[in-house]
Amino acid sequence: MTVTIIRRLMQSLLVVVAMSLIVFVGVSSIGDPTYMFVSPDATHEEIARVKETFGFNRPIWERYVYFVEGALSGDLGKSYMFNQSAMHLILQRLPATLELAFAALFLAVFLGIPLGLYSGLKPDSPFSKLIMTGSIVGFSLPTFWVGIMLILIFAVMLGWLPSTGRGDTVEVLGIRVSFLTWDGLRHLILPAFNLALLKISLVIRLTRAGVREAVHMDYIKFARAKGLAPSRIVGVHLLKNILIPVVTVLGLEFGSLIAFSVVTETIFAWPGMGKLLIESIQTLDRPVIVAYLMLIVFLFVIINLIVDLIYAMLDPRVRLAGRRR
Amino acid sequence: MTRPPFAQVLLAGAALLSLSMSASGLELAEENTLTIGLSSEATAVDPHFHTLTPNNQIAAMIFDALVNQDETQQLIPGLATEWKPVDDLTWEFKLREGVKFHDGTDFTADDVLCSFERAPNVPNSPASFALYVGNKKVTKVDDHTVHFSTPEPYPLMANDVSNIAIVSDETGCNATTEEFNSGKATTGTGPWKFVEFIPGDRIVLDANKDYWDGAPAFDKLVLKPIKSGPSRVAALLAGDVDMINDVPTTDIQRLEGDDNVTLAQGSSNRVIYLHLDQFREDSPHITAKDGSKIKNPLLDLKVRQAISKAISREAIRDRVMEGQSILAGQLLPKGFFGVSENLKPVEYDPEGAKALLAEAGLPDGFKVLMHGPNDRYINDARILEAVAQMLNRVGIEASVETMPRSVYFTRASQGGPGETPEFSLILVGWGAGSGEASSPLRSLIHSDGPANRGRYSNPEVDAVINEAMAAVDDDKRQELLAKATEMAINDGAIIPIHYQVNTWGLKKGLSYEPRTDEYTLGQSVTRDAD
């Protein structure tokens, strides 16, 4: 197991180094951001000053070396636009994004699995058909459109929920969270649902497929024959076996929930990292883009590691295979 | 195991829900808060860090300048009550007495001196205020009089001074940008006091009840960045915000018909225009129709005039802008200092355009690829597409390439060989920050203009602009600026299309005086009398 983890970590390090090069060169080749920054009536001297200050007049390799030097000492650069450490800016907004991603994950698990189970166990009931049709809709509608529709229906027409923004926050262990206040929770519902919609549909389908396959297995039949309560058959024997693919997929999808909540955050004006990223791209605030992408690479590496570990907990054979190597 | 019946849980939840909903509703009504949804966000609350509209607009709420700009950018007394030139090189500003900073300290000449010292020197500024401070020397005469002097006569002294926010010499002048963002140094004299700044989420301000120009109509101001246009409109309709700026043109009609919303609309100081390559014999994106090289036709005044005549400004206003624009015949709309009385928008005349092209020796037209941004001005890409279609109608085979502004402006300014402008015919906009005609003349028309992306160069026009910039007498300068504008426009230096119209949406019962500089200021929002 330890060897496996170490090997995985080494591989990850390589990925991080390669990504840093790709990201840095890619972002730098978009062009010189000077004209994005300076006031339109800036003089030639001012334009020269900005180029000098931020090093836009230096060759790219020189800037990369400078970046790597900083990165090794834990400094991924300073935002041009905000004059703050890029990492600080991102971490400042991480709690909001994590909160949204966890809320979406929560919805995906606690709506997706029960609905999937139901439609897997009773495939012919009308409700199951409704669930399956609903999941197709969830798959195929674009997030930005659903987001706007949610706002129109629940905020503008019905007035039940607030349309945009994050609600009141309270500090827990120095982190601002909003799901503990009523106002915060109300603000969280629509964006979380919008972000979760695709994942809910995915989980429903995965669960249903797993259930349909497993109910005909011998061990389920045997458990039935033994006279076990249906709740125990479903809750213990069935669920445990169908959860492995669901956990794998959710793990990967959780990464994308965090990394690519951009659309949802923009529509709901959610003050998270995605919104920061999209604004940084629009203003060519390179250090923030680079730091963000590096963080996401790092995040995916960690998530994949955690998924492997959960795997091992759910399925003892995985752990044994690791030891044998 | 007994479970609480599902229905009961639901009921209890619903009861709780309705209870807390009514409670929060009451709270909001009592607080007298104004919440505004803004399309863009300030990068800092440091008033000297970054000269950018959202930043300057926050600064104008928390701080004052010596001279303020009213809603049509006319100069009005701010922290200075009067100003006048005492000789050719020196201006005297009399400071307002009895003004206090938010922390209770007095405003004096020392605050002015150190603010002008700090403004051009903020480290790592992406767009520095050095532009407005320049080579001005500030000296204190007494506690309530300061002198500004320049090596040469400088008529725009008060315009420049109106851009520099005055911070306190005790807390603000030696502070870093971070200390402003945290609120530690954010002590101004303005109508609002800083409460908190949560980047990406909100800026909260409290009313300054002792403001020298009268307290704001609200006790508290919350500014929320809502970048997406439809979301901003939805937030207004849902009542989550009381006011929004930048209403998308497609939503204006719908909001006009809504009983709970009023709109505030007014002309902006921003002209949308075409800039034409006038410095190269061989322009990179222009060819003959068969693709062979030709001499840059834009060098010929007749061709420039033909392009102008080929554009139906009315059609662009009515179809592309949903009626939300004002036809342009020069650099600034009527009413601004230095505009010409004689220039009118060019009439749509496709036959005249064809005739002019024929006179220029191009009866079959030519081929041109036009460039423009697609996320900078209101409907920018669609305007350019419309222009291209109109050019096609008179025989100029025009096609369009648009791109995000982050790429566009660099290429348009210096993308070509030797850092020359890369494109041949481009769509751009210009907002006159100073609120008078010298701003576009100096930047777009003058041979040395930093935003002269067509490299138009006419020594006669340059001479008139230079003369205007040395004329301290207002009447004389006004006349010279108008003259330079006429010379440049008649010479086809640029082709103006329209002036933007700014639209704010407000909850019924609130009013806003539309501003030409596109700022959204909390202190200018008032309640209608019942």
Side-chain angles (χ1 to χ4, degrees):
Chain A
M1 193 72 182
T2 327
V3 179
T4 321
I5 292 179
I6 290 174
R7 191 181 298 145
R8 288 295 302 271
L9 282 178
M10 294 295 286
Q11 286 170 352
S12 311
L13 196 68
L14 252 168
V15 171
V16 171
V17 171
M19 270 305 287
S20 82
L21 194 66
I22 295 171
V23 165
F24 194 87
V25 172
V27 169
S28 298
S29 60
I30 302 173
D32 182 342
T34 311
Y35 289 91
M36 277 306 295
F37 296 171
V38 296
S39 155
D41 43 8
T43 54
H44 299 292
E45 295 82 52
E46 164 74 358
I47 290 168
R49 182 196 66 82
V50 168
K51 289 190 189 216
E52 185 58 38
T53 306
F54 298 114
F56 298 149
N57 47 3
R58 305 283 165 78
I60 184 166
W61 61 266
E62 208 177 305
R63 279 185 278 135
Y64 183 68
V65 170
Y66 186 73
F67 165 74
V68 172
E69 275 173 16
L72 288 179
S73 60
D75 172 17
L76 285 174
K78 214 172 185 186
S79 158
Y80 302 145
M81 298 298 276
F82 296 91
N83 195 28
Q84 291 178 35
S85 144
M87 217 47 188
H88 172 78
L89 274 177
I90 294 168
L91 293 180
Q92 199 177 39
R93 306 190 185 201
L94 184 67
T97 297
L98 279 183
E99 187 171 81
L100 189 61
F102 273 117
L105 188 71
F106 179 86
L107 288 176
V109 170
F110 288 93
L111 284 177
I113 293 180
L115 290 176
L117 263 182
Y118 182 87
S119 68
L121 292 172
K122 298 191 173 151
D124 295 325
S125 87
F127 185 56
S128 293
K129 289 191 174 133
L130 190 74
I131 294 173
M132 294 320 286
T133 320
S135 79
I136 293 175
V137 173
F139 259 117
S140 41
L141 292 179
T143 324
F144 71 89
W145 186 84
V146 175
I148 296 209
M149 285 300 125
L150 288 175
I151 293 179
L152 268 183
I153 295 169
F154 291 100
V156 177
M157 285 163 66
L158 298 172
W160 292 353
L161 294 166
S163 59
T164 47
R166 197 176 183 212
D168 295 340
T169 54
V170 284
E171 284 212 4
V172 178
L173 306 171
I175 298 169
R176 283 173 178 273
V177 294
S178 72
F179 70 95
L180 292 175
T181 65
W182 174 242
D183 182 56
L185 206 58
R186 273 164 40 94
H187 279 85
L188 186 59
I189 296 173
L190 286 185
F193 182 73
N194 188 45
L195 190 60
L197 192 60
L198 200 103
K199 314 299 170 199
I200 296 173
S201 315
L202 192 68
V203 172
I204 289 177
R205 303 217 135 220
L206 275 173
T207 313
R208 182 186 134 103
V211 172
R212 300 289 301 131
E213 198 183 318
V215 281
H216 300 297
M217 294 291 208
D218 289 344
Y219 68 92
I220 298 287
K221 283 185 189 153
F222 184 65
R224 273 216 191 104
K226 252 172 74 179
L228 283 183
S231 65
R232 188 166 167 80
I233 298 178
V234 172
V236 177
H237 298 282
L238 186 70
L239 207 56
K240 212 173 167 185
N241 280 289
I242 61 166
L243 272 189
I244 287 182
V246 175
V247 168
T248 315
V249 170
L250 274 182
L252 290 171
E253 292 292 326
F254 183 63
S256 74
L257 277 180
I258 295 174
F260 309 118
S261 53
V262 180
V263 175
T264 298
E265 286 187 4
T266 307
I267 290 172
F268 288 92
W270 188 261
M273 302 190 302
K275 198 162 151 254
L276 177 70
L277 174 71
I278 203 82
E279 282 164 17
S280 300
I281 291 174
Q282 280 164 353
T283 52
L284 278 189
D285 198 348
R286 287 183 199 155
V288 180
I289 308 175
V290 172
Y292 181 88
L293 291 176
M294 292 316 294
L295 184 78
I296 295 303
V297 170
F298 193 69
L299 205 72
F300 267 87
V301 166
I302 299 283
I303 287 175
N304 278 319
L305 203 66
I306 293 174
V307 167
D308 283 356
L309 295 179
I310 294 182
Y311 238 30
M313 267 158 36
L314 283 172
D315 185 349
R317 284 169 300 178
V318 175
R319 192 168 16 191
L320 286 178
R323 267 192 199 146
R324 221 175 279 146
R325 266 184 233 157
Chain B
M1 192 174 97
T2 54
R3 289 189 208 135
F6 188 57
Q8 248 176 39
V9 176
L10 256 185
L11 267 178
L16 200 76
L17 209 140
S18 60
L19 251 179
S20 25
M21 252 155 78
S22 57
S24 69
L26 271 176
E27 209 175 36
L28 279 177
E30 279 170 359
E31 247 184 358
N32 190 20
T33 302
L34 176 69
T35 308
I36 306 181
L38 296 172
S39 59
S40 51
E41 197 196 347
T43 58
V45 287
D46 179 346
H48 301 147
F49 173 61
H50 190 177
T51 167
L52 186 76
T53 299
N55 290 37
N56 296 346
Q57 140 187 319
I58 291 293
M61 291 190 241
I62 303 175
F63 301 90
D64 277 308
L66 291 186
V67 179
N68 289 340
Q69 295 189 358
D70 74 1
E71 61 281 347
T72 56
Q73 289 179 276
Q74 304 295 319
L75 300 177
I76 52 169
L79 288 177
T81 49
E82 52 184 315
W83 54 92
K84 58 173 190 295
V86 286
D87 58 52
D88 269 359
L89 305 177
T90 312
W91 285 71
E92 181 174 275
F93 284 74
K94 284 279 181 204
L95 305 186
R96 194 176 291 277
E97 298 190 25
V99 174
K100 286 192 187 307
F101 279 97
H102 298 157
D103 62 0
T105 54
D106 287 317
F107 158 71
T108 63
D110 294 324
D111 302 305
V112 178
L113 260 59
C114 80
S115 295
F116 275 82
E117 175 65 32
R118 180 177 191 270
N121 294 315
V122 177
N124 294 326
S125 162
S128 160
F129 282 86
L131 196 63
Y132 305 112
V133 177
N135 49 12
K136 299 177 183 63
K137 243 181 68 200
V138 195
T139 43
K140 172 178 169 180
V141 177
D142 60 50
D143 263 359
H144 290 97
T145 314
V146 288
H147 278 175
F148 285 77
S149 53
T150 44
E152 281 143 27
Y154 191 67
L156 295 182
M157 187 61 82
N159 295 77
D160 279 6
V161 163
S162 73
N163 287 297
I164 304 293
I166 302 300
V167 301
S168 153
D169 68 333
E170 278 141 49
T171 49
C173 281
N174 297 312
T176 59
T177 300
E178 289 78 53
E179 285 170 327
F180 274 94
N181 289 345
S182 70
K184 202 177 144 212
T186 327
T187 309
T189 58
W192 301 95
K193 299 178 190 175
F194 180 86
V195 178
E196 71 177 334
F197 170 40
I198 306 173
D201 189 13
R202 69 186 77 183
I203 294 179
V204 183
L205 307 173
D206 267 343
N208 175 8
K209 301 277 185 205
D210 305 319
Y211 187 51
W212 58 266
D213 199 19
F218 297 86
D219 297 335
K220 197 172 172 190
L221 178 61
V222 180
L223 305 166
K224 291 186 167 185
I226 307 178
K227 205 175 170 55
S228 148
S231 307
R232 210 160 51 245
V233 172
L236 177 69
L237 290 174
D240 294 328
V241 299
D242 304 310
M243 175 180 181
I244 57 172
N245 71 344
D246 276 356
V247 178
T249 50
T250 43
D251 288 318
I252 287 175
Q253 221 179 0
R254 166 163 175 10
L255 291 183
E256 273 172 346
D258 195 304
D259 290 338
N260 301 315
V261 174
T262 46
L263 296 179
Q265 288 190 298
S267 147
S268 119
N269 63 12
R270 194 179 298 282
V271 59
I272 302 296
Y273 65 94
L274 298 178
H275 227 145
L276 317 94
D277 179 355
Q278 301 191 35
F279 74 108
R280 284 179 283 214
E281 291 275 313
D282 173 20
S283 199
H285 297 283
I286 295 180
T287 59
K289 279 196 171 162
D290 58 9
S292 61
K293 278 204 164 149
I294 51 166
K295 180 178 173 234
N296 178 3
L298 301 178
L299 293 172
D300 190 333
L301 173 61
K302 290 201 176 92
V303 176
R304 304 201 290 270
Q305 286 169 339
I307 293 177
S308 191
K309 282 185 185 218
I311 298 170
S312 169
R313 293 165 175 79
E314 286 89 358
I316 293 178
R317 177 191 62 197
D318 297 340
R319 306 284 159 71
V320 180
M321 304 300 288
E322 322 248 348
Q324 308 302 321
S325 73
I326 298 163
L327 309 188
Q330 53 183 317
L331 303 164
L332 269 176
K334 240 189 267 162
F336 280 91
F337 185 90
V339 302
S340 157
E341 298 293 326
N342 307 323
L343 291 169
K344 302 271 172 302
V346 174
E347 297 276 335
Y348 176 53
D349 177 12
E351 291 314 314
K354 281 183 198 161
L356 277 167
L357 280 175
E359 270 179 56
L362 290 159
D364 298 329
F366 54 94
K367 205 166 157 178
V368 60
L369 176 58
M370 304 167 70
H371 293 84
N374 55 22
D375 59 353
R376 177 61 189 90
Y377 310 110
I378 303 175
N379 299 334
D380 40 16
R382 289 170 56 206
I383 299 170
L384 195 61
E385 282 157 14
V387 168
Q389 280 180 19
M390 292 167 185
L391 292 186
N392 275 301
R393 242 174 265 161
V394 300
I396 299 171
E397 199 180 316
S399 48
V400 168
E401 189 182 326
T402 61
M403 57 199 85
R405 62 190 158 139
S406 52
V407 181
Y408 172 73
F409 284 103
T410 307
R411 289 177 65 185
S413 298
Q414 56 158 40
E419 305 224 327
T420 53
E422 181 182 338
F423 306 132
S424 296
L425 184 53
I426 59 174
L427 180 98
V428 209
W430 185 268
S434 64
E436 44 79 59
S438 86
S439 153
L441 280 170
R442 281 186 294 166
S443 296
L444 311 178
I445 308 287
H446 198 284
S447 305
D448 290 334
N452 185 348
R453 300 187 176 97
R455 295 280 192 273
Y456 171 77
S457 176
N458 183 338
E460 288 167 32
V461 177
D462 289 357
V464 180
I465 298 175
N466 292 342
E467 199 187 338
M469 290 316 295
V472 178
D473 177 58
D474 278 353
D475 291 339
K476 190 179 169 210
R477 192 168 76 254
Q478 166 119 19
E479 202 176 292
L480 287 166
L481 292 174
K483 187 177 159 199
T485 306
E486 283 171 26
M487 288 166 73
I489 294 296
N490 290 333
D491 195 25
I494 64 161
I495 297 175
I497 297 175
H498 63 235
Y499 309 113
Q500 285 189 355
V501 169
N502 299 327
T503 308
W504 287 265
L506 300 105
K507 229 178 226 175
K508 200 74 162 182
L510 301 180
S511 312
Y512 187 68
E513 188 78 49
R515 291 185 67 93
T516 52
D517 55 15
E518 305 175 3
Y519 288 4
T520 307
L521 301 179
Q523 62 263 37
S524 309
V525 183
T526 50
R527 278 214 178 82
D528 299 346
D530 292 319

